[in-house]
Every structure is written in structure tokens, then in C-alpha cells.
Amino acid sequence: MIGSADIREWRGHAVVDEKDRRIGTLESVYVETASDQPFFATVTVGLPSRHRLVFVPLDGAVLGPGYVRVAFPKSLVKEAPSIGTDDVLPAENEPEVFAHYKLDYAPGAGGERRLARR
């Protein structure tokens, strides 16, 4: 498991898929609110004039020299739900991000958000 302090140090580094194909650049980390552990990363993709941030789970991610390798193929990540480079994931869009990767989603016991940007 990658700790929150560790992953923040990798902001701006390359994100690659399980076959070392470059996906984009690590922009930010979303933690699970119940545990404050890294759960998703946002990755900058697209042309410079049309950058967007896509979400990728950090489960199974590995840190290497100058990169973060995620456990998902580039094609799946590139099609993931996205937000603008200056945006934050709206609460109502959280289930869509989980569903894209076939991950179970349930809000907190009191209906609170599951993810928070760090």
C-alpha cells in the first residue's frame, strides 16, 4: 500500500500502465475519507490545449524511479470519468468513477462522501 505522504511526493511524475505505457502525469490524490488512505489518483491526459484529469485507482500501484505504475491498462484509464484541470470531483459523480473500474461504491454511514482530494 502506498502511503498518503509518499504518493504526494510523486505529483508531476509519469503514470504508466501495467505494460509501462505512459498514460499521463500524476496531478493529485483522492483519499478514502474513512481511512485517509490514497484510493484514486487523477492523471493529466490530452492535448495541451485540452487537458483533463482522469481517475485511476491506486490499488496495486507501484512507485518506481520517476513513475507510478498503476494496475490498469492505458485504454481503460483514458476512458475513465474525468474533470477539468481546475475542478474537483462532485459528490454525485463518485459512483460513476467506482463503476468504471467495477469497484463497489457505498457512501459513508451518514451519507458523507467517500473520497476527498488531498
Side-chain angles (χ1 to χ4, degrees), residues 36-52:
D36 205 39
Q37 291 298 310
F39 204 81
F40 280 97
T42 56
V43 180
T44 304
V45 298
L47 301 171
S49 62
R50 297 188 320 201
H51 278 155
R52 62 191 172 94

Side-chain angles (χ1 to χ4, degrees), residues 19-87:
K19 295 183 179 176
D20 289 329
R21 293 178 294 211
R22 183 178 169 85
I23 298 170
T25 305
L26 182 73
E27 172 59 29
S28 63
V29 173
Y30 278 75
V31 298
E32 191 162 34
T33 55
S35 66
D36 205 39
Q37 291 298 310
F39 204 81
F40 280 97
T42 56
V43 180
T44 304
V45 298
L47 301 171
S49 62
R50 297 188 320 201
H51 278 155
R52 62 191 172 94
L53 300 175
V54 295
F55 288 83
V56 63
L58 289 171
D59 185 39
V62 176
L63 299 176
Y67 66 86
V68 177
R69 181 181 299 120
V70 295
F72 298 89
K74 180 178 181 176
S75 58
L76 181 64
V77 176
K78 291 270 192 156
E79 296 299 320
S82 65
I83 57 175
T85 56
D86 294 325
D87 297 336

